[in-house]
Amino acid sequence: MKTGERIPLCNRDSSPNELYGLMFGIRTFEQSLLDLFQRGVLAGTTHTCLGQEATAVGVFSALNLELDCAFSNHRGHGHFLAYCGEAELLYLEVMGKPGGVCGGRGGSQHLQHRNLYSNGIQGGIVPVATGIALAEKLKGSGAVSVVFLGDGTLGEGAVYESFNIAALWQLPTLFVIENNGFAQSTPCALEVAGSIRARPEAFGIPTTEIRTTNVETIRNETSRCVDAMRDGAGPRALVLHNYRLGPHSKGDDNRDPAEIRAAWDQEPLKVLRERLDTTEVQLMEAAQTERIGRARERALAAPRYEY
Amino acid sequence: MSTKDMSERPTTVLQSLNAAMHRLMAGDSRVVVLGEDILDPYGGAFKVTRGLSTQFPDRVLTTPISEGAIVGLANGLALRGMRPIAEIMFGDFVTLAADQLINHAAKFRWMYNEQVRVPLVVRTPMGGRRGYGPTHSQSLEKHILGVPGLWVAAPHALGDPGSLLEQSVALEDPVVFVESKVCYGRFLTRPAELRAEEIRTARSPFPTLHLTHRGGSPDGVIFCYGGMAPVALEAVERLRDVDGIRVDLVVVAQLSPTPTDHLEALLQRGISEVIAYAEEASSSAGWGAELVATIEEIRASIAPRRSIRHLRIGGAHTPIASSKEMELHDLPSAELVAERLLECF
Ligand SMILES: Cc1ncc(C[n+]2csc(CCOP(=O)(O)OP(=O)(O)O)c2C)c(N)n1
Ligand SMILES: [Mg+2]
């Protein structure tokens, strides 16, 4: 299997330092993409997960990365990196180069690596992830299937068809619903009626709702869901409230700057950093910055398609 | 082609498909069948799945009314090494699964750089003449033709529907398998007076059936598929017996991608002055239109000085009426096909 410059992964035993390191790696990667776009190096589009790194790291550190499956959405770089750490392969993919994880065919929103998949169609991935859970259940593999959906994606009917079937057939699907406050330019209040958590609950899916940027809390809650699912308890939903710090994609942001500034006070890296040893954090950050930088430079130097 | 089966004892299209479903499930534990109302004793709206849930209770899943999720689940199953066969109760409802077919099933293999396969078959009955009205009678397959990565195949009573289904599962790429609801009860037969020849190639694996008159080149050719095969055959017989005109019949099983190499082989055998394309949907932007274009491209390259008169024959460009008389009037009949061809001679 092809591989490149990688960042270290986390599991249930990873220390806060290590969790921080992975979140910092994802943040650095995402910021560098925005920078590359600004410099005109990248074409197309990208959706970064700035401010949502704790979801990626919290969820994937609770999984069995050899066994479990995940279906990610348009905002999937953090999920990908927390799953396999392959920063260089992801850079190459986003750059549309032959060495990318999908040979540059998929790009930012269409990734596939081992048991991780992503697609840029809102909602459509949810029944597919549910089918993955069905396959794993039929095979008796013990794997769970995790799928990520944003608040805006709750507008898609496919989501509810999947809730219904996952619950009817007691499939090991974990629906991670991330309410980052917005769907592109539209605030949650204009696109989601009623309660988010009541949605999966209406189908009898046990749902945990947390309003936190604490990565350890997310890891703990995900672990509880996954353990129950592995014991055959059927689907689970996790509703996570956080805030998208960056633009929806590259530069499209009409939100109140004061609101964004306030959110930076709550963001997951800051929250965790306050509890860590400053010197260790600095060492960790330096090491990650160097790794990501190496991955980026190698990807930038790699050949493009020539026709 | 199991001409043997046909001669031994009469088999209907439905029996052929149902037997193939049983063989598929018995032969491969990765085969999972899912769809609405498919459990015994009901056994599916058109009974293609009859008996399966009794025999294989763990791998036959009756679903809620969720066509998008049915195909979505099947996509997930296929990605993870299973061999799903999904049923959409009426072909009219394929629109609800369009996203799963076009943006998921058809794309995964290519967009993930050949790292995955999507061995998925979506079976669905299309077509009218049963009085089911505007939303249960359509032939919507033309809307899913030409999608890169998506195969569309159609069994017919002049071929071997069951083998075609087994071939679809073996292909390991997504196939929409378009059955004809009026043909389920038809016996598998081939007219003895016509010589039958099948074309299949590695690039276009679903067979094209070429039925020709013996002795000399024909006056014309009719292309058709699925439920139009018996209708077109009747037109061929009528033209021969009543009007003394010899028209060959080509029954295509691979609707998409267009089996260009089969068409090339057919044109190499001889270029007819008149070619008709008979389909049940309205012919606007349809299957026949694509064939006309492809055949013209081939003709221009192999016989630049010859010309072909092309004739698309389809249903009325309106929804399909519930009224029996109106429906039968608006869908192409054997008389209509014969009359339209006669106008050319
Ligand atoms: C079916 C579909 N409709 C619209 C879009 C365009 N689109 C991409 S992201 C997005 C907003 C999604 O919002 P949300 O689900 O909250 O996720 P977030 O972007 O906040 O992570 C939209 C409308 C799409 N990709 N797919
Ligand atoms: Mg959102």
Side-chain angles (χ1 to χ4, degrees), chain B residues 19-43:
Chain B
M21 293 289 280
H22 277 273
R23 281 197 301 276
L24 282 160
M25 292 209 78
D28 188 345
S29 62
R30 298 170 303 175
V31 174
V32 178
V33 173
L34 62 169
E36 294 158 18
D37 298 292
I38 61 174
L39 295 188
D40 292 333
Y42 188 70

Side-chain angles (χ1 to χ4, degrees), chain A residues 47 52 74-75 109 120-122 150-153 156 180 182-184 244 248:
Chain A
H47 308 86
Q52 303 175 223
H74 60 294
R75 206 174 292 290
Q109 306 188 65
I121 300 290
Q122 238 84 93
D151 47 298
T153 302
E156 294 287 357
N180 61 2
F182 296 86
Q184 205 151 330
R244 190 190 81 216
H248 167 68

